[in-house]
């Protein structure tokens, strides 16, 4: 008898009349809002305008969702195109199945389009939103809990995940909650990037590269614990190979970028500094009225110089 475990929901969707409210979708939406909120605060601190992060996210988020789904469908094509499967299911994103690698890759394309339209350097934008993306992943992983998917090997630990569903080949039992491990790891990655960025003034995309490298490190060992079907290359899961390759690329970028472009960008958004200067130089209506009143009182208090001279002359004559 298990004394403690993480229970699984019997279903991941609640129907509000004819409208289905899916836990997986809610986790993604909440994660996006958190990423934009934190990214906006960091962007303003770097000297950018408020709202710019959200404007660019309008491009990045749809591209990221599309990229994440494409990566999943391509790497797990047999789930949708093999015998007995319905290819229409490939479009049912609410049932789970987003590959972070594709989401980041195609999301970067969307962000590049948004940055180009605003005349903003993509690396600076990526640095601002990096911790927010990690937090979005931490929240999004709970969508796997709602769907009872992507768990690890059997375990009797007190924090074991209790799987109750037997659909799609699942075997009810107690397993490592890899969704929880990755969620906690992503929170740690976000805190690491925020600390390193403040400590070392990372710029030119290096904060984003640090996020990528740190995430890949955790994804590598967590991937080894999973028991869901996956493609293998030389006996190693495909996502492990992807994590290794992306980690090497991220670290290489950090080293090369630090040598070629040390320091941090002085300007991240054209015109943002000018806007602050103009707003700082404007006088509020109340202040202007006070200044005018003070000037009038000064004029009344100080006698005219000509009048003073005439009074002095009259005094001499008498």
């Amino acid at each position: 008898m298990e004394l403690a475990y993480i229970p699984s929901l019997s279903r991941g969707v609640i129907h509000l009349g004819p409208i289905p409210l899916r836990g997986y979708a809610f986790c993604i939406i909440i994660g996006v809002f958190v990423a934009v909120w934190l990214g906006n605060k960091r962007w303003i601190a770097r000297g950018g305008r408020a709202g710019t992060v959200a404007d660019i996210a309008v491009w990045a988020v749809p591209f990221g969702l599309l990229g994440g789904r494409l990566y999943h469908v391509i790497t797990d094509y047999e789930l949708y195109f093999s015998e007995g499967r319905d290819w229409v299911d490939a479009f049912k994103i609410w049932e789970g199945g987003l590959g972070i690698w594709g989401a980041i890759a195609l999301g970067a394309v969307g962000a590049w389009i948004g940055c180009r339209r605003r005349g903003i350097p993509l690396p600076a934008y990526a640095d601002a939103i990096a911790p927010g993306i990690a937090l979005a992943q931490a929240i999004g992983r709970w969508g796997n809990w709602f769907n009872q998917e992507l768990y690890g090997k059997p375990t009797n630990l007190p924090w074991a995940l209790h799987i109750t569903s037997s659909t799609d080949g699942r075997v009810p039992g107690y397993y490592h909650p890899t969704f929880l491990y990755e969620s906690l790891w992503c929170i740690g990655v976000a805190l690491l990037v925020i600390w390193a960025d403040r400590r070392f003034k990372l710029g030119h995309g290096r904060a984003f590269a640090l996020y990528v490298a740190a995430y890949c490190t955790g994804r590598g060992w967590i991937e080894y614990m999973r028991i869901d079907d996956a493609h293998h290359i030389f006996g190693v899961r495909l996502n492990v190979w992807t994590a290794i390759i992306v980690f090497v690329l991220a670290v290489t970028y950090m080293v090369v970028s630090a040598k070629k472009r040390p320091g941090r960008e002085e300007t991240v958004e054209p015109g943002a500094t000018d806007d602050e200067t103009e707003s700082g130089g404007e006088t509020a209506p109340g202040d202007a009225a006070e200044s005018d009143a003070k000037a009038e009182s000064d004029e009344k208090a100080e006698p005219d110089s000509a009048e003073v001279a005439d009074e002095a002359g009259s005094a001499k004559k008498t």
Side-chain angles (χ1 to χ4, degrees):
M1 179 179 178
E2 296 292 336
L3 298 179
Y5 59 84
I6 301 174
S8 289
L9 297 177
S10 59
R11 57 179 181 171
V13 56
I14 299 175
H15 286 84
L16 187 62
I19 303 174
L21 304 178
R22 302 182 183 277
Y24 187 88
F26 267 113
C27 290
I28 294 175
I29 293 171
I30 294 172
V32 170
F33 273 105
V34 169
V36 172
W37 169 78
L38 180 58
N40 183 65
K41 291 177 66 69
R42 287 173 52 81
W43 184 251
I44 294 173
R46 291 283 299 273
R49 292 189 180 97
T52 297
V53 169
D55 292 342
I56 297 176
V58 171
W59 289 90
V61 172
F63 273 76
L65 291 175
L66 177 61
R69 189 60 176 176
L70 283 175
Y71 181 90
H72 167 72
V73 172
I74 292 172
T75 55
D76 292 308
Y77 61 87
E78 66 279 355
L79 298 176
Y80 308 100
F81 303 105
S82 60
E83 186 178 354
R85 298 285 185 169
D86 188 358
W87 63 272
V88 176
D89 292 341
F91 297 95
K92 297 179 180 179
I93 190 174
W94 55 86
E95 294 184 353
L98 288 175
I100 185 60
W101 318 111
I104 294 297
L106 212 54
V109 174
W112 175 79
I113 295 174
C115 288
R116 187 175 178 82
R117 290 167 60 89
R118 300 290 292 265
I120 292 171
L122 177 61
Y125 180 81
D127 285 340
I129 65 172
I133 294 177
L135 290 180
Q137 289 177 250
I139 297 171
R141 271 306 175 197
W142 283 86
N144 302 134
W145 176 64
F146 280 97
N147 289 350
Q148 294 199 37
E149 60 184 1
L150 304 187
Y151 43 86
K153 300 174 182 178
T155 181
N156 57 1
L157 291 171
W159 56 84
L161 175 65
H162 186 198
I163 296 298
T164 58
S165 174
S166 58
T167 60
D168 295 331
R170 296 185 182 94
V171 178
Y174 299 90
Y175 301 88
H176 277 284
T178 51
F179 83 90
L180 178 61
Y181 298 160
E182 187 166 339
S183 179
L184 294 175
W185 183 269
C186 287
I187 293 174
V189 170
L191 296 176
L192 170 65
V193 174
I194 292 173
W195 171 81
D197 193 26
R198 290 177 178 175
R199 175 68 176 81
F200 302 105
K201 303 297 181 183
L202 302 177
H204 302 286
R206 289 188 288 276
F208 184 81
L210 175 61
Y211 143 71
V212 172
Y215 171 74
C216 289
T217 302
R219 181 61 184 267
W221 67 265
I222 292 172
E223 193 72 24
Y224 266 114
M225 301 181 69
R226 286 168 49 171
I227 59 174
D228 53 301
D229 292 333
H231 293 285
H232 290 71
I233 300 176
F234 300 116
V236 179
R237 291 170 68 99
L238 174 61
N239 281 333
V240 175
W241 283 111
T242 305
I244 294 173
I245 294 172
V246 175
F247 172 84
V248 172
L249 292 175
V251 172
T252 302
Y253 177 86
M254 291 180 65
V255 174
V256 174
S257 175
K259 290 182 178 180
K260 288 189 174 182
R261 308 185 70 181
R264 178 185 282 181
E265 301 92 337
E266 294 182 2
T267 302
V268 296
E269 185 168 3
T273 307
D274 297 337
D275 291 347
E276 292 180 1
T277 303
E278 291 177 4
S279 62
E282 292 176 356
T283 305
D287 295 339
E290 291 179 5
S291 299
D292 293 341
K294 185 177 180 181
E296 289 180 4
S297 62
D298 290 344
E299 289 178 0
K300 291 179 180 179
E302 294 180 3
D304 186 66
S305 58
E307 292 179 0
V308 173
D310 291 343
E311 290 178 2
S314 300
K316 277 186 178 182
K317 289 178 183 179
T318 44

